Amino acid sequence: MAPPAPQSGILLVDKPQGITSHDVVARARRALGTRKVGHAGTLDPMATGLLVLGVRASTRLLTYVVGLGKEYRATVRLGASTVSDDADGEVVAWADADGTVSDAAIDAAFAGQVGDVQQVPSAVSAIKVDGRRAYARVRAGEDVELAPRSVTIESITRTAEPRRLVVDGHDVIDVDIVVRCSSGTYIRAIARDAGTFLGVGGHLTALRRTAIGPFAVTEAVDGTSLPDEKPELLGAAATAERLFPVVRLDAVGAVALSQGKRIPVEHSDTAGPVAAIAEDGRLIGLVRVDRGIARTLVNFPTDGTEG
């Protein structure tokens, strides 16, 4: 007989375009029959791609997913600026780009943003300014200037030749890119800053998140199937094995750790979390190892229903 499906775990969802991340969470709650579903970072309604959701006890793992590196596929349109730096916002300026922007200049505009950089987030964002969301201030007609933030952009790779076309009577250039970056990076800001560098303006017309840390969108369930189908979860132990080093516990050690006791383990000392997994495959908790002794950082239920 196959083991029962995990009641706690991580749900990977491929978010469709046109709905919010919170809509996806609501669909997952209905499909799984629980209110205890959280997320490790949202996507704009225009964007598609990977959302990582935590279910029941595994919401405790989301803290460790939020800060992981991301990968995106995007299309940047050069020659037009929008109020939101993406296609959902009103065009505020056109500048014919085809005759003035070379392929080499386009590559330079992206290359100049790679590395540890100070990036100014898009004004139409959820960042709070004096207690109010920046997007609410923009929609109220206010001029919003956000402070730059430190982000790391590992790479921006052009995946095809720039496409030169005419939109609403203006010459524009569409550029497809793959971005690998740290958490907190605004891909819309990359598009905006490339257009500023080139003097023609720019915004994002398509965005798809393809990976978060070790999780790929190719593993995700189609968000359009929720809540009509009950999705399969990646169990807590399997998730922890992707995120952390692992120490295996015998039955005695598993019981002792679950009771909050410190136990000796054969593992190198580490300040970061280590996944403590019982011989029957359950995630007992996340621990820190100091001089061969494991001390609990996060406990997980051990009744078999949550792990």
Side-chain angles (χ1 to χ4, degrees):
M1 180 182 296
Q7 298 301 303
S8 164
I10 294 295
L11 176 60
L12 305 178
V13 181
D14 186 351
K15 186 188 89 68
Q17 189 174 38
I19 66 172
T20 69
S21 299
H22 298 292
D23 291 335
V24 174
V25 170
R27 292 181 180 188
R29 286 170 174 164
R30 293 197 298 274
L32 295 166
T34 178
R35 293 288 302 170
K36 197 167 184 183
V37 178
H39 63 78
T42 62
L43 287 169
D44 293 334
M46 186 195 85
T48 68
L50 183 60
L51 291 176
V52 177
L53 308 184
V55 181
R56 298 187 176 93
S58 292
T59 55
R60 304 174 197 186
L61 294 171
L62 296 180
T63 297
Y64 304 96
V65 178
V66 170
L68 296 176
K70 312 290 194 298
E71 180 185 88
Y72 297 88
R73 291 185 174 271
T75 300
V76 175
R77 175 159 293 171
L78 301 170
S81 302
T82 73
V83 68
S84 59
D85 301 325
D86 65 15
D88 280 346
E90 179 185 357
V91 175
V92 293
W94 293 95
D96 289 336
D98 185 42
T100 60
V101 178
S102 67
D103 290 3
I106 292 171
D107 291 339
F110 292 122
Q113 299 186 62
V114 173
D116 297 326
V117 299
Q118 293 291 306
Q119 185 188 66
V120 178
S122 296
V124 180
S125 68
I127 295 172
K128 285 189 175 181
V129 179
D130 295 331
R132 291 178 60 202
R133 301 290 185 186
Y135 63 75
R137 290 183 174 275
V138 172
R139 290 170 184 167
E142 298 181 33
D143 291 328
V144 176
E145 294 186 10
L146 299 176
R149 297 185 168 197
S150 297
V151 300
T152 299
I153 300 176
E154 179 183 337
S155 62
I156 304 175
T157 305
R158 181 159 57 82
T159 61
E161 292 299 312
R163 300 185 299 280
R164 299 169 185 271
L165 55 154
V166 177
V167 174
D168 292 342
H170 299 275
D171 294 325
V172 300
I173 305 173
D174 281 0
V175 187
D176 296 327
I177 58 174
V178 172
V179 180
R180 294 182 177 88
C181 58
S182 67
S183 179
T185 303
Y186 279 80
I187 311 303
R188 287 182 285 150
I190 291 176
R192 176 202 65 207
D193 291 347
T196 299
F197 176 89
L198 295 166
V200 295
H203 69 280
L204 210 61
T205 62
L207 180 65
R208 180 166 177 77
R209 186 156 64 197
T210 50
I212 301 175
F215 307 109
V217 73
T218 52
E219 307 173 83
V221 301
D222 185 348
T224 60
S225 69
L226 300 174
D228 299 326
E229 298 179 16
K230 184 174 182 178
E232 183 176 347
L233 303 179
L234 180 66
T239 300
E241 286 185 282
R242 293 201 194 186
L243 295 173
F244 312 109
V246 173
V247 61
R248 304 288 175 180
L249 306 180
D250 60 20
V252 173
V255 171
L257 189 67
S258 68
Q259 293 173 343
K261 298 177 181 178
R262 301 182 184 187
I263 61 172
V265 293
E266 294 184 5
H267 197 283
S268 301
D269 291 357
T270 176
V274 175
I277 297 178
E279 56 190 10
D280 62 3
R282 289 177 297 119
L283 176 63
I284 304 301
L286 305 180
V287 302
R288 184 177 71 185
V289 180
D290 183 18
R291 288 175 285 187
I293 301 297
R295 183 177 70 180
T296 299
L297 295 172
V298 181
N299 257 330
F300 277 75
T302 57
D303 61 4
T305 63
E306 294 289 324

